[in-house]
Amino acid sequence: MRGMGNMQGMMKKMQKMQKEMVEAQDALNEQLFEGTAGGGMVKVVMNGQRQLVEVALDESVVDPDDIEMLQDLIVVATNEALKKVEDTTSSTMGKFTQGMNLPF
């Protein structure tokens, strides 16, 4: 019967960890991540759910004769913001899955 107490204790720990994981993911989803390019002339903001929520362009970067440059700057800024989301998610959620080989 001693094994049942250990099992209950383990289940309580798992439930606590699951609750903490959900809270951490919710907090990440609310966080905002900024990416910039062109010395800050292009700025994008993404939330933790990897949704683009804002794009800000300096007037000087809007050149009708060079649309390709603007497009490239938006891509660079977006990828920078996405990398910040990924890195923060990995470091935050990784502590829960460390050693378990579980995706999050």
Side-chain angles (χ1 to χ4, degrees), residues 24 26-33 45-49 85 88 92:
D26 288 346
L28 274 170
N29 289 345
E30 295 298 317
Q31 216 172 333
L32 297 177
F33 300 86
V45 178
M46 190 173 280
N47 65 23
Q49 295 175 354
V85 173
T88 302
T92 300

Side-chain angles (χ1 to χ4, degrees), residues 32-47:
L32 297 177
F33 300 86
E34 182 180 299
T36 60
M41 292 189 300
V42 173
K43 177 181 93 169
V44 300
V45 178
M46 190 173 280
N47 65 23

